[in-house]
Amino acid sequence: MAKEIRTIGVMTSGGDAPGMNAAIRAVARACAYYNVKCIGFYRGYQGMIEGDYCEMNARSVRNIISRGGTILKSARSQEFRDVEGRKKAANNLKKIGVDAMILIGGDGTFRGGEIFSKEYDIPVIGVPGTIDNDIAGTNFTIGYDTALNTVIDAIDKIRDTASSHDRLFFVEVMGRDAGFIALNTGVGAGAEEILIPEEDLGLDRLLESLKRSKRSGKSSSIVVVSEGDKIGKNVYELADYISENLPDYEAKVTVLGHMQRGGSPTCFDRTLASRFCVKAVELLLDGQQNVMVGIINNKITATSFEEGLKEGYGINKELLRISDILST
Ligand code: F6P
């Protein structure tokens, strides 16, 4: 028989994402609604290891739905990778009286949760929160939509100056292993070319495409580059390479960096976080465990960590073809 859940712990881990606060709020409020005690751990797994926590009620999460970042702070805990670290965390949960955990984060967070739940009889539920959108068990992760809008806004501004000076801009966006941000903002901002980790288009093709665009009368261009792209040159080397081989172009580089992880979450991310976390609390109260919540075809789902973390989360390569057609 599933054990009774009287206290639920929540934490945010890995790279922060806009909407994590909306998620924390939803956990605390759903716990209050169902009369369950809620404990927030600081700095993800590290707070569980160190016993760094606070008790949360419905009022402790007031006015945070619109705030970027995470009030519980986030970290990538090295210690939790070791058996000893996980043991400390499990002992602390026992001592504090936490019956189950909700883990808000990305693939690294879920991998940690999967191991932890196999070693200890503590039910966990994963809530996907990362701007990278690189989790197979969901169509969307918390923070992705906000990041897309931040990037689009930045590229639109870059385009203004690019066009005033007839320049070529390489804009690097986040996505160490996944091209979701690059691909979608590339199409959305009307980029000339999009470079993503999932597809190496090659330098020759890039040269050809830029030559063609010059010939067709374009005076400025934007190339969106995912930080994990596989073309074999970083964004600065890429700009140098183009300047050497196509002297007609004046190439500039903008690395958007961590600004992509900040800002007030969009309505989509707030709603998604709210739906995910009510479901996460309800799953635990229903006796379910060791799954991640997700959204598939607009339905909130529960998927095993194993399934949810499978490779091949289906980047839509059709968008590359669309981009090709539209950058004519
Ligand atoms: O949140 C995911 C991510 O944004 C990746 O795209 C990026 O490579 C990474 O985090 C960088 O994060 P940090 O600076 O925290 O190591």
Side-chain angles (χ1 to χ4, degrees):
M1 207 181 93
K3 72 173 179 186
E4 198 192 344
I5 305 290
R6 279 172 303 206
T7 302
I8 292 178
V10 58
M11 57 78 137
T12 48
S13 161
D16 63 346
M20 279 185 164
N21 278 329
I24 295 166
R25 170 184 180 269
V27 172
R29 294 266 164 103
C31 283
Y33 181 86
Y34 287 112
N35 233 346
V36 172
K37 197 163 147 188
C38 181
I39 300 284
F41 286 90
Y42 291 106
R43 292 170 295 120
Y45 290 121
Q46 202 53 37
M48 288 161 63
I49 292 171
E50 293 171 15
D52 188 10
Y53 66 94
C54 61
E55 209 172 309
M56 303 182 95
N57 59 38
R59 295 289 75 77
S60 34
V61 290
R62 59 158 68 103
N63 296 338
I64 65 166
I65 194 166
S66 58
R67 278 168 56 190
T70 155
I71 59 163
L72 290 178
K73 299 187 180 288
S74 193
R76 294 190 167 94
S77 171
Q78 270 306 116
E79 225 182 317
F80 195 77
R81 290 170 190 256
D82 298 333
V83 185
E84 272 310 303
R86 294 195 293 277
K87 194 169 166 193
K88 278 189 203 160
N91 287 342
N92 273 331
L93 295 190
K94 220 179 199 171
K95 205 161 77 193
I96 303 162
V98 173
D99 301 308
M101 282 298 303
I102 293 180
L103 315 169
I104 305 168
D107 54 349
T109 306
F110 290 1
R111 279 200 187 91
E114 192 183 16
I115 299 172
F116 188 64
S117 66
K118 278 184 185 150
E119 289 173 343
Y120 300 96
D121 183 27
I122 300 171
V124 303
I125 303 281
V127 173
T130 161
I131 64 162
D132 290 343
N133 206 42
D134 56 348
I135 295 183
T138 186
N139 296 151
F140 300 106
T141 57
I142 298 167
Y144 172 56
D145 184 63
T146 307
L148 291 183
N149 285 291
T150 300
V151 171
I152 281 285
D153 191 45
I155 299 181
D156 286 350
K157 288 175 176 149
I158 292 167
R159 186 178 286 288
D160 289 344
T161 177
S163 110
S164 300
H165 289 268
D166 292 339
R167 282 172 171 160
L168 163 68
F169 268 82
F170 287 90
V171 183
E172 187 192 271
V173 299
M174 276 191 167
R176 194 170 22 200
D177 306 308
F180 285 97
I181 296 179
L183 198 49
N184 284 277
T185 59
V187 172
E192 194 58 42
E193 281 290 339
I194 306 168
L195 308 181
I196 56 173
E198 292 83 354
E199 189 105 340
D200 179 4
L201 296 178
L203 286 167
D204 290 348
R205 188 206 131 105
L206 182 63
L207 279 177
E208 257 329 293
S209 154
L210 291 172
K211 269 189 210 156
R212 208 170 43 240
S213 97
K214 236 332 172 225
R215 280 199 303 269
S216 76
K218 287 190 188 177
S219 57
S220 68
S221 288
I222 306 277
V223 176
V224 177
V225 186
S226 185
E227 62 179 335
D229 91 283
K230 298 283 186 291
I231 208 159
K233 290 188 187 298
N234 71 35
V235 73
Y236 293 100
E237 293 166 348
L238 210 49
D240 288 345
Y241 177 83
I242 296 299
S243 300
E244 276 158 30
N245 288 277
L246 300 174
D248 280 356
Y249 274 108
E250 189 187 356
K252 295 274 176 186
V253 172
T254 300
V255 176
L256 295 184
H258 287 79
M259 69 173 288
Q260 295 163 89
R261 292 226 299 244
S264 177
T266 57
C267 181
F268 181 87
D269 278 331
R270 297 179 199 191
T271 311
L272 187 69
S274 303
R275 292 176 76 187
F276 276 173
C277 289
V278 168
K279 179 73 171 184
V281 170
E282 288 176 343
L283 284 171
L284 285 173
L285 297 181
D286 264 5
Q288 291 213 46
Q289 50 181 295
N290 313 339
V291 293
M292 59 161 282
V293 294
I295 186 163
I296 296 171
N297 298 331
N298 202 26
K299 282 218 160 57
I300 302 297
T301 51
T303 309
S304 70
F305 282 126
E306 201 186 334
E307 270 300 304
L309 289 171
K310 268 199 176 140
E311 288 291 312
Y313 26 74
I315 197 116
N316 185 1
K317 289 192 184 162
E318 167 70 357
L319 284 176
L320 285 175
R321 198 178 72 81
I322 301 288
S323 165
D324 254 6
I325 293 172
L326 299 181
S327 61
T328 305

